[in-house]
Amino acid sequence: TSKVRWGMLVDANKCADGCSACVEACNTENGLDIHTNPAGADVDSTKWDQQKPVWMRSVKLKDLQSGKITNLPMMCQHCEHPPCQDVCPTGASFRRADGVVLVDRHTCIGCRYCMMACPYKARSFAHEVVDNKVDFQPRGKGTVESCTMCVHRGEEGKSDPACVEACNSAGHKAMYFGDLKDSNSEISTQLKKYPSTQIRADLGLNPGVRYRGL
């Protein structure tokens, strides 16, 4: 329903150097960690690390003047005006009424136009047959995939995506998830309390993911 818009806030000031709890939780939740280098394939580990599907990655920013290092997770930004949807020839890339941007892998033809259009480098392509997968993710060779904000967890009655839950469990509390249209939600309260940043705000995409401390 359009009565809500799911969003996320990442406080980069609280992202611990070397912490990968959110990335690991995403991989485990969505079965990416069981998608391994195909047996018998002549692909070394370095090349597999470059090609394997990644829905969330850790990005390290360095201020060239001060030398300050900032760590932050980067995933699909769930834009209000998603360029991936605009260029998709089959409608496989689409935005739900609640603001979550998804890929219907049953209709994705693997053209990868959406990957080229995404300014956040947030989508991956399944180059190999996916034998091992979890029930709620219909993954397959030749399709594009990306962060879903764990919509399946919401439908199961769980309040937070796996990455947010893992960040809280690690004691960092660097990620907030909730309804951006609810002025009383925790994420809305946090956004009112401190300034936040949109990545590539100049594009006018109005992403559902905001960052603090950049």
Side-chain angles (χ1 to χ4, degrees):
T1 171
S2 59
K3 292 181 179 179
V4 302
R5 185 188 180 190
W6 299 117
M8 192 177 296
L9 170 65
V10 179
D11 189 341
N13 292 316
K14 297 179 180 178
C15 285
D17 188 20
C19 177
S20 59
C22 58
V23 175
E24 292 171 5
C26 176
N27 291 339
T28 300
E29 179 74 19
N30 296 292
L32 302 184
D33 58 343
I34 56 177
H35 186 175
T36 57
N37 193 341
D42 186 19
V43 179
D44 61 38
S45 58
T46 301
K47 290 183 178 179
W48 171 246
D49 287 340
Q50 294 172 344
Q51 294 182 10
K52 66 181 181 182
V54 176
W55 294 10
M56 175 182 284
R57 68 188 193 279
S58 180
V59 175
K60 182 175 288 189
L61 305 178
K62 181 178 181 180
D63 188 305
L64 297 180
Q65 291 187 339
S66 66
K68 179 186 176 183
I69 301 293
T70 302
N71 297 280
L72 57 91
M74 179 62 65
M75 72 294 279
C76 173
Q77 301 290 290
H78 299 278
C79 306
E80 182 181 11
H81 310 291
C84 56
Q85 177 179 270
D86 292 341
V87 300
C88 180
T90 66
S93 291
F94 67 100
R95 180 180 183 271
R96 297 201 327 181
D98 60 6
V100 179
V101 177
L102 298 174
V103 181
D104 183 344
R105 276 155 285 185
H106 296 292
T107 55
C108 174
I109 59 174
C111 68
R112 289 174 273 187
Y113 287 168
C114 62
M115 294 180 67
M116 291 184 283
C118 177
Y120 307 107
K121 198 178 179 180
R123 294 197 159 187
S124 292
F125 185 74
H127 292 272
E128 303 293 338
V129 174
V130 185
D131 293 321
N132 299 319
K133 51 193 169 187
V134 291
D135 293 338
F136 53 82
Q137 293 292 3
R139 305 177 61 222
K141 179 180 179 180
T143 60
V144 176
E145 47 191 32
S146 63
C147 161
T148 65
M149 276 196 182
C150 287
V151 290
H152 63 280
R153 289 173 67 92
E155 291 160 0
E156 293 170 358
K158 299 177 182 177
S159 58
D160 289 326
C163 57
V164 178
E165 184 178 271
C167 184
N168 290 338
S169 297
H172 302 307
K173 189 69 175 178
M175 305 177 77
Y176 302 87
F177 173 79
D179 181 7
L180 296 172
K181 290 187 175 181
D182 180 1
S183 59
N184 296 318
S185 66
E186 184 177 17
I187 186 172
S188 294
T189 301
Q190 289 292 328
L191 288 170
K192 291 177 193 173
K193 194 173 182 181
Y194 301 106
S196 62
T197 303
Q198 302 177 34
I199 303 296
R200 290 305 307 269
D202 57 304
L203 297 177
L205 303 178
N206 190 18
V209 181
R210 305 296 172 89
Y211 293 85
R212 178 190 297 165
L214 298 186

